[in-house]
């Protein structure tokens, strides 16, 4: 194996940072021995912080109405073919109850930016969950809101917030989003969430249209500087009824490489092997875990909602993606040497 690559990986592991050139050369390397060393280093680092435990989060996709029009996303407002749904509070609490019985101690509420769920509804929902499940973490992933709203959700009992930055290049952001959305505003939201005291997750798609290796380097430099508690990355997968319907999907291998790089950069980070990674490659989730990921987010939504929350073509929601099959998931993790635990799974740091 090339000593130069080996020393770049060691430097990242020791200093948790690289120059732009360093990241670029790792991204451009396809030498199997180097990639293996990267993966192994990331796995060692993650074991030193989290051992062999995998945290699970129960994902409740509660609305696919969205006022935004992100060009990649299957639930964008212009997609007239999307069958819309929203769950009422009682349904959402029912999902949480089923999840709690299965052992989930983190609930992730994700949705489009649906004006029906105004602050009062979100606050009522978070308060009800907080009161019923004082021992659980509540994660929100409902997009860009005013700072006061984020503060009010936090005060009602939300602990964590996922808001992928999508791409750290303003120029690239502009090609993935309509003009009314800006990277600057997305970043302001991320800063506000962090200041309020949330455990915050940023993240990006791998292989999104027009993405270059330089864009990925910018993403990595942003993650390095922002120091999030969580990073969500998954391959871009086209959705047939969007303007990006005929673009190619991102690569599983590149996603896995990025999981390892991010683990070395942020040893304590909570890093999911995402549904998109499991969708693009049959063994994607396992490979992600072996490369440094330590979180899996099975789906707790009612089956009908799952089918309609179609962010991209063929999004997985059955089998081990389904919360009710937690036992199968547990077995598949044991088979590769890891174990699922069902506590809150907070950030260690
Ligand atoms: N409205 C929320 C949740 C968005 S959906 C928000 O704005 O944060 C969650 C994530 O799915 C997005 O952040 C995006 O990165 C990802 N996603 C959307 N469309 C996708 C696609 N076609 N392929 C892969 N990931 C996609």
């Amino acid at each position: 194996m090339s000593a130069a690559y080996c020393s770049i990986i060691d430097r990242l592991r020791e200093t948790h940072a690289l120059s732009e050139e360093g990241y670029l050369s790792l991204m451009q390397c396809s030498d199997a021995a180097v990639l293996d060393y990267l993966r192994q280093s990331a796995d060692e680092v993650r074991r030193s912080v989290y051992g062999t435990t995998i945290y699970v989060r129960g994902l409740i996709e509660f609305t696919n109405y969205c006022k935004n029009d992100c060009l990649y996303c299957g639930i964008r407002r212009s997609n007239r073919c999307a069958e819309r749904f929203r769950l009422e509070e009682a349904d959402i609490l029912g999902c949480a109850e089923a999840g709690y019985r299965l052992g989930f101690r983190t609930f992730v509420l994700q949705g489009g930016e649906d004006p029906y769920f105004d602050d009062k509804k979100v606050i009522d929902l978070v308060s009800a969950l907080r009161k019923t499940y004082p021992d659980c973490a509540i994660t929100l992933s409902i997009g860009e809101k005013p700072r006061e709203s984020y503060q009010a959700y936090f005060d009602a009992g939300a602990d964590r917030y996922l808001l992928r930055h999508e791409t750290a290049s303003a120029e690239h952001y502009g090609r993935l989003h309509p003009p009314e959305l800006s990277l600057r505003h997305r970043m302001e939201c991320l800063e506000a969430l962090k200041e309020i005291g949330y455990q915050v997750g940023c993240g990006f798609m791998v292989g999104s249209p027009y993405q270059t290796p330089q864009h990925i380097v910018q993403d990595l430099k942003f993650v390095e500087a922002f120091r999030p508690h969580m990073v969500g990355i998954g391959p871009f997968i086209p959705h047939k009824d969007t303007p990006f319907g005929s673009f190619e999907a991102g690569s599983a291998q590149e996603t896995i490489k990025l999981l390892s790089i991010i683990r070395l950069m942020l040893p304590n980070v909570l890093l999911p092997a995402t549904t998109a990674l499991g969708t693009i490659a049959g063994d994607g989730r396992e490979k992600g875990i072996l490369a440094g990921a330590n979180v899996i987010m099975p789906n707790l939504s009612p089956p009908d909602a799952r089918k309609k929350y179609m962010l991209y073509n063929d999004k997985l929601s059955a089998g081990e993606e389904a919360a009710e099959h937690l036992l199968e998931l547990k077995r598949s993790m044991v088979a590769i040497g890891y174990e699922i635990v069902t506590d809150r799974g907070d950030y260690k740091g």
Side-chain angles (χ1 to χ4, degrees):
M1 181 187 17
S2 136
Y5 280 116
C6 192
S7 87
I8 293 176
I9 293 168
D10 291 346
R11 188 159 4 112
L12 179 58
R13 178 173 180 164
E14 278 151 31
T15 66
H16 312 302
L18 284 180
S19 64
E20 295 189 0
E21 296 72 39
Y23 287 126
L24 191 62
S25 62
L26 281 187
M27 286 316 299
Q28 289 176 335
C29 173
S30 55
D31 180 316
V34 173
L35 298 185
D36 210 46
Y37 184 68
L38 175 64
R39 188 195 59 70
Q40 226 177 310
S41 305
D43 189 41
E44 281 169 24
V45 166
R46 154 264 158 71
R47 280 171 192 253
S48 74
V49 182
Y50 291 104
T52 53
T53 56
I54 310 282
Y55 298 136
V56 282
R57 321 300 195 194
L59 180 61
I60 306 175
E61 297 159 336
F62 68 97
T63 173
N64 73 350
Y65 284 87
C66 192
K67 67 181 170 66
N68 290 335
D69 217 16
C70 308
L71 277 76
Y72 45 84
C73 185
I75 63 168
R76 65 200 299 266
R77 70 157 187 265
S78 301
N79 182 7
R80 303 270 172 258
C81 304
E83 251 187 87
R84 304 289 167 173
F85 78 94
R86 59 170 71 92
L87 304 182
E88 293 298 336
E89 181 176 311
D91 305 322
I92 300 171
L93 295 175
C95 293
E97 195 188 327
Y100 192 88
R101 260 189 270 116
L102 288 165
F104 288 93
R105 294 294 178 269
T106 293
F107 302 117
V108 181
L109 300 174
Q110 189 178 86
E113 289 193 21
D114 178 358
Y116 173 84
F117 285 97
D118 56 15
D119 282 355
K120 178 171 183 318
K121 287 207 178 65
V122 176
I123 291 163
D124 285 351
L125 177 60
V126 171
S127 308
L129 284 168
R130 177 46 64 233
K131 191 160 152 256
T132 318
Y133 304 106
D135 54 335
C136 292
I138 302 170
T139 306
L140 296 176
S141 179
I142 53 174
E144 298 177 25
K145 306 280 176 184
R147 189 192 174 103
E148 304 72 57
S149 304
Y150 287 149
Q151 183 70 55
Y153 310 157
F154 186 78
D155 295 342
D159 312 88
R160 306 182 186 145
Y161 205 104
L162 304 177
L163 186 77
R164 291 187 177 180
H165 63 282
E166 311 297 0
T167 169
S169 149
E171 166 263 321
H172 188 217
Y173 198 92
R175 302 189 80 169
L176 302 181
H177 298 94
E180 63 273 18
L181 295 176
S182 71
L183 178 61
R184 193 156 144 228
H185 190 250
R186 197 94 180 156
M187 295 293 193
E188 283 168 8
C189 288
L190 281 166
E191 289 294 344
L193 289 163
K194 210 173 189 195
E195 280 168 26
I196 290 167
Y198 283 95
Q199 291 179 38
V200 181
C202 64
F204 56 97
M205 288 176 289
V206 180
S208 58
Y210 314 113
Q211 185 183 57
T212 64
Q214 282 72 22
H215 291 142
I216 294 185
V217 170
Q218 279 176 269
D219 287 318
L220 291 171
K221 286 308 260 185
F222 167 68
V223 172
E224 192 189 273
F226 184 64
R227 309 197 56 77
H229 305 88
M230 309 174 275
V231 179
I233 61 170
F236 160 77
I237 303 174
H239 184 293
K240 61 182 176 29
D241 302 315
T242 63
F244 293 160
S246 54
F247 278 80
E248 255 182 61
S251 115
Q253 200 189 318
E254 203 171 319
T255 305
I256 290 162
K257 195 200 268 189
L258 281 159
L259 289 173
S260 296
I261 292 175
I262 290 168
R263 171 62 63 200
L264 295 179
M265 184 197 289
L266 302 170
N268 303 339
V269 76
L270 294 164
L271 195 60
T274 54
T275 306
L277 181 56
T279 299
I280 204 82
D283 56 354
R285 204 182 15 218
E286 285 82 356
K287 283 198 169 143
I289 296 293
L290 289 164
N294 66 330
V295 173
I296 294 186
M297 298 166 66
N299 200 312
L300 264 182
S301 321
D304 191 45
R306 287 179 203 177
K307 281 190 221 105
K308 294 180 181 160
Y309 198 82
M310 265 306 151
L311 302 177
Y312 43 80
N313 294 340
D314 306 320
K315 178 167 160 270
L316 285 191
S317 64
E320 288 165 26
E321 281 302 321
E324 61 275 20
H325 297 145
L326 194 57
L327 209 60
E328 289 164 40
L329 186 62
K330 281 186 176 163
R331 280 198 209 107
S332 74
M333 289 300 125
V334 167
I336 58 169
Y338 298 83
E339 61 201 309
I340 285 188
V341 293
T342 49
D343 61 34
R344 280 174 50 116
D346 276 302
Y347 179 79
K348 290 195 176 150

